[in-house]
Amino acid sequence: MKIPFKLNTTLFSFFIFTISFLYAFTQEKAMPIFKDGEAQIVEAFNTPDKWIRHDLFVETEFDTDGDGKLDRMHVSVTRPFQTDTEGLKLPVIYVSSPYFAGVAQGGNELFWNVKHEIGEQVKEPVRSEVKRVGKRPIISNSHIKKWIPRGYIVVHSSSPGTGLSQGSPTVGGQNESLAPKAVIDWLCGRAKGYTEPYGNKTVEAFWSTGKVGMTGTSYNGTIPLAAATTGVDGLEAIIPIAPNTSYYHYYRSNGLVRSPGGYLGEDIDVLYDFIHSGGEEPIIPNSNTKINDAKIPKAYKNKRAYSNEVIRDTEMKNGMDRITGDYNNFWAGRDYLNHMAPMKAALLMSHGFNDWNVMPEHSYRIYKKAREMGIPSQIYYHQFGHGGPPPITMMNRWFTRYLHGIENGVENDAKAWVVREDDKMDEPTAYKEYPNPNASPATLYLSSGGLSAGKLSTKKQKKQGKETLVDNYNFSGADLAKSTNSKNRLLYVTPILKEDLHISGVPQITIKLASSKPAANLSIWLVSLPWNEGKVKITDNIITRGWADPQNYKSLTESKPLKPGKFYELTFNLQPDDQVIKAGQQIGLMIFSSDQEFTLHPKPGTELTVDLDGTSLTLPVVGGVESFNTSLGN
């Protein structure tokens, strides 16, 4: 067969290239899409089988495992494939945690024994080992299905001393703030990332816009705040959910050694053991490695042993102080409120008013300070327990505004959102601020009869005298609140409410009391009566609670043994609340000593005597004293 023309291969190649280029140019590239101020799911991004996943190790500015080298954090990245094929750059949702690689296994032996006298030294708990889970490169799958289809990259990291991240866990120490800062610096091109924990081959975040948002729940919610307190550039917004913002407030209360709800006997060293899943590499400390200015004379089997001695058995042991429960430099360094000056990231807080693990004060104290600093801030409160994120719409608007830069007006939205008692989590009620701006103090006074039920009213009755309770941890707070008569608590109640009563803010108790011993627990519950049994809403019985050590009547930083029989006055806050107490209920102030669920359990028998004339409760009532009296039909 005769070919009619000679093929010009150069011209043909040019033709094919041109057609391919024009085809590619005319194809619509995948881009984030926004509607009503929210990032929408883009089908081109919603392709999990094509997502690019890889891990790396980011170099920090600290060495906390004693090997003389800067610690590196294990980081994993999940991103749409278009960040490779189309050169797409996207903002980052970043989540960090000490839990990703597994936690310690065991029972009550891992916790401190609470059955002893206040101020008594007891044997330490059994030290546990973490059962490691997970393998490279996947650290976690959390959040990826939520955010990647909406036009974000999701990054995870294990916190220092956990998983494959180097360093020591410090439970609130400085390195837990600087570790996420280093990751953000890497995402913004300011820090080095490596393909291996000890290698020299670098990797860059070429796909990042340099705009980072962080979120997480509980400890995972603490880390975004920790990062924000460094003032790191590029961290534009954080959404901490039920974050622990002060380890003193988590393990102590107004000078009292108090456990977090559900974990009786836990303390900061127990949490250290619970999360310490890293540090398996061998180590021989160099001559400059020190513990409390004393050179280490021995080599360690591995970095775990080094961290245990330096952090848990030295720093924590010397600083945590289960004897007095006082606030000291150790606790001040782990209180993020003290480190907020550099913070600038927009803040959306989320918390449950009935979270008795990480209590609602943790979010409120940070939100309040952020508002005072002029940081864009909102707070979302619900009526349930630990955890519970804001509605996806609220989170979406927050990240859309501050990471994508879409002017959706979120900064002009209501500052406070409260899920009312009978509403769904995604149907919060908007308020101008929290506490409710219409709330003002209503001071309530006690009348005698607390062994059964004394009175609680806005009218102060003179010469009500003194009443005494006997401590006995064997009775739970619920048992005491339900008792018609009890020598183990004092109870003072309002008349039956004729109308609903709205409380919003931080109740405060002033109490004048004497103890039969040099030390005693003091527990305060505000309850709604009658006590409802069975399957009831969490808001039905307990309004709020508080605990204090009478030995700290002058200062949180100094305990002074009580002189038996001498009266002392102390004032402290109960946990923040926003709750509508229904008509037909009574508000009860219950005063008792040892709280079975939260405090130490000293031998029963200590007597607390309360001077009723020197004791009062201040409630933040929407509408103030007038509304309080109206709710009683006055």
Side-chain angles (χ1 to χ4, degrees):
M1 180 177 180
K2 186 176 181 180
I3 298 176
F5 63 89
K6 185 177 181 181
L7 181 65
N8 187 322
T9 56
T10 302
L11 182 63
F12 181 76
S13 297
F14 177 76
F15 175 76
I16 294 300
F17 171 80
T18 302
I19 294 297
S20 299
F21 175 80
L22 290 174
Y23 177 80
F25 183 78
T26 57
Q27 295 305 299
E28 185 177 348
K29 290 188 176 182
M31 295 291 290
I33 297 173
F34 306 96
K35 181 180 179 182
D36 299 327
E38 296 181 39
Q40 303 296 301
I41 292 176
V42 177
E43 289 307 316
F45 297 151
N46 196 17
T47 53
D49 57 326
K50 295 183 179 180
W51 289 342
I52 299 169
R53 307 195 70 166
H54 56 98
D55 68 334
L56 65 142
F57 295 82
V58 170
E59 185 175 80
T60 69
E61 57 190 271
F62 55 81
D63 169 27
T64 54
D65 56 17
D67 64 357
K69 302 174 184 178
L70 294 178
D71 297 337
R72 295 182 183 182
M73 297 300 105
H74 186 205
V75 177
S76 70
V77 177
T78 308
R79 52 191 174 93
F81 70 88
Q82 293 88 348
T83 54
D84 266 2
T85 61
E86 299 177 9
L88 181 65
K89 293 178 181 288
L90 293 172
V92 173
I93 303 295
Y94 171 33
V95 185
S96 185
S97 174
Y99 300 134
F100 287 147
V103 294
Q105 309 295 311
N108 292 334
E109 74 278 0
L110 306 182
F111 296 84
W112 284 86
N113 174 24
V114 298
K115 292 187 178 181
H116 62 84
E117 298 303 308
I118 298 171
E120 180 183 354
Q121 184 73 52
V122 297
K123 185 179 178 181
E124 293 182 3
V126 173
R127 298 305 178 186
S128 58
E129 293 293 323
V130 172
K131 182 179 180 181
R132 283 283 302 278
V133 298
K135 297 179 181 180
R136 291 184 65 187
I138 306 303
I139 291 179
S140 172
N141 289 312
S142 68
H143 297 274
I144 61 175
K145 292 182 179 179
K146 180 185 294 183
W147 296 113
I148 292 180
R150 289 180 166 89
Y152 295 91
I153 293 161
V154 175
V155 170
H156 294 89
S157 74
S158 291
S159 60
T162 72
L164 297 181
S165 284
Q166 298 166 356
S168 299
T170 57
V171 193
Q174 188 181 32
N175 69 336
E176 291 191 0
S177 298
L178 295 177
K181 175 185 179 296
V183 175
I184 294 166
D185 280 336
W186 173 72
L187 289 167
C188 296
R190 298 187 298 266
K192 293 182 178 180
Y194 297 91
T195 57
E196 298 295 334
Y198 296 101
N200 295 317
K201 185 178 180 181
T202 59
V203 56
E204 295 182 359
F206 60 86
W207 30 259
S208 169
T209 62
K211 300 290 186 180
V212 182
M214 293 188 72
T215 189
T217 299
S218 198
Y219 207 141
N220 302 5
T222 299
I223 295 175
L225 176 63
T229 61
T230 69
V232 59
D233 290 336
L235 181 57
E236 305 295 331
I238 61 173
I239 306 179
I241 302 163
N244 182 340
T245 66
S246 164
Y247 285 91
Y248 183 84
H249 289 76
Y250 190 60
Y251 291 117
R252 307 288 183 266
S253 183
N254 300 300
L256 197 69
V257 174
R258 176 192 47 73
S259 304
Y263 300 93
L264 190 63
E266 184 183 322
D267 212 322
I268 194 167
D269 57 340
V270 177
L271 182 54
Y272 168 95
D273 284 331
F274 189 69
I275 65 172
H276 192 192
S277 57
E280 296 173 342
E281 305 96 328
I283 173 178
I284 299 179
N286 60 45
S287 60
N288 295 320
T289 304
K290 299 179 180 181
I291 298 180
N292 288 352
D293 297 324
K295 289 185 179 180
I296 301 174
K298 60 183 180 181
Y300 287 88
K301 178 181 178 181
N302 55 31
K303 294 181 180 181
R304 290 180 61 80
Y306 173 85
S307 296
N308 289 344
E309 182 163 341
V310 175
I311 305 301
R312 185 191 68 195
D313 301 336
T314 303
E315 181 182 349
M316 288 182 175
K317 185 175 182 178
N318 294 339
M320 57 189 280
D321 184 14
R322 283 184 68 84
I323 301 300
T324 71
D326 291 350
Y327 190 78
N328 56 27
N329 290 335
F330 171 84
W331 294 113
R334 287 166 166 79
D335 185 341
Y336 293 105
L337 187 66
N338 298 332
H339 307 294
M340 286 183 64
M343 181 171 162
K344 56 194 177 188
L347 173 70
L348 170 58
M349 302 292 279
S350 177
H351 220 115
F353 280 124
N354 292 281
D355 186 347
W356 302 114
N357 178 3
V358 182
M359 300 190 189
E361 67 179 341
H362 282 269
S363 287
Y364 173 62
R365 59 204 297 273
I366 300 298
Y367 167 76
K368 182 173 180 289
K369 180 64 174 178
R371 294 282 292 144
E372 292 170 357
M373 293 171 62
I375 296 172
S377 306
Q378 291 181 10
I379 195 162
Y380 166 87
Y381 272 125
H382 57 82
Q383 303 292 340
F384 300 95
H386 190 49
I392 181 62
T393 293
M394 188 176 291
M395 297 180 71
N396 194 337
R397 283 172 57 77
W398 202 253
F399 284 146
T400 295
R401 170 67 181 85
Y402 293 106
L403 301 190
H404 281 291
I406 302 299
E407 298 285 346
N408 58 14
V410 71
E411 65 272 27
N412 300 318
D413 288 352
K415 297 297 178 281
W417 302 81
V418 178
V419 178
R420 296 266 48 105
E421 290 72 10
D422 297 318
D423 291 344
K424 297 177 181 179
M425 290 279 284
D426 60 354
E427 297 177 354
T429 299
Y431 293 93
K432 185 176 181 180
E433 187 54 277
Y434 179 83
N436 190 310
N438 295 322
S440 59
T443 301
L444 309 182
Y445 302 97
L446 286 58
S447 297
S448 59
L451 293 176
S452 52
K455 293 182 180 179
L456 192 63
S457 70
T458 56
K459 294 181 179 180
K460 187 172 184 178
Q461 305 294 326
K462 296 181 180 179
K463 298 181 180 180
Q464 292 303 299
K466 304 173 178 64
E467 296 189 330
T468 300
L469 65 91
V470 180
D471 182 29
N472 192 336
Y473 71 84
N474 290 299
F475 296 98
S476 70
D479 291 337
L480 297 176
K482 290 183 289 186
S483 298
T484 305
N485 295 278
S486 175
K487 66 178 181 178
N488 305 120
R489 57 95 177 116
L490 299 174
L491 179 64
Y492 305 91
V493 300
T494 67
I496 296 173
L497 299 181
K498 306 296 184 185
E499 298 180 10
D500 292 353
L501 181 69
H502 188 178
I503 296 171
S504 179
V506 185
Q508 188 178 79
I509 182 81
T510 293
I511 186 167
K512 189 173 183 180
L513 56 74
S515 171
S516 63
K517 290 184 178 180
N521 293 315
L522 175 61
S523 302
I524 303 292
W525 281 22
L526 201 61
V527 295
S528 179
L529 299 174
W531 192 277
N532 292 306
E533 298 288 0
K535 292 184 178 180
V536 297
K537 296 195 300 294
I538 196 168
T539 56
D540 278 358
N541 296 319
I542 298 170
I543 299 173
T544 187
R545 305 193 255 208
W547 302 263
D549 186 348
Q551 295 180 104
N552 291 88
Y553 64 95
K554 280 190 175 181
S555 169
L556 278 184
T557 60
E558 184 181 6
S559 294
K560 290 186 176 181
L562 306 174
K563 293 182 180 180
K566 181 179 178 179
F567 280 85
Y568 300 86
E569 182 179 284
L570 60 155
T571 298
F572 59 95
N573 292 336
L574 307 184
Q575 291 297 315
D577 196 23
D578 193 302
Q579 186 173 333
V580 176
I581 315 301
K582 297 294 185 181
Q585 294 293 108
Q586 293 175 281
I587 297 174
L589 169 64
M590 186 170 73
I591 303 169
F592 62 118
S593 185
S594 298
D595 190 323
Q596 188 183 89
E597 299 175 78
F598 295 93
T599 70
L600 300 179
H601 293 176
K603 183 179 179 181
T606 301
E607 294 183 352
L608 289 184
T609 300
V610 177
D611 183 340
L612 303 187
D613 298 316
T615 301
S616 61
L617 170 70
T618 301
L619 282 183
V621 176
V622 176
V625 175
E626 183 177 351
S627 289
F628 183 85
N629 288 328
T630 299
S631 71
L632 298 178
N634 297 335

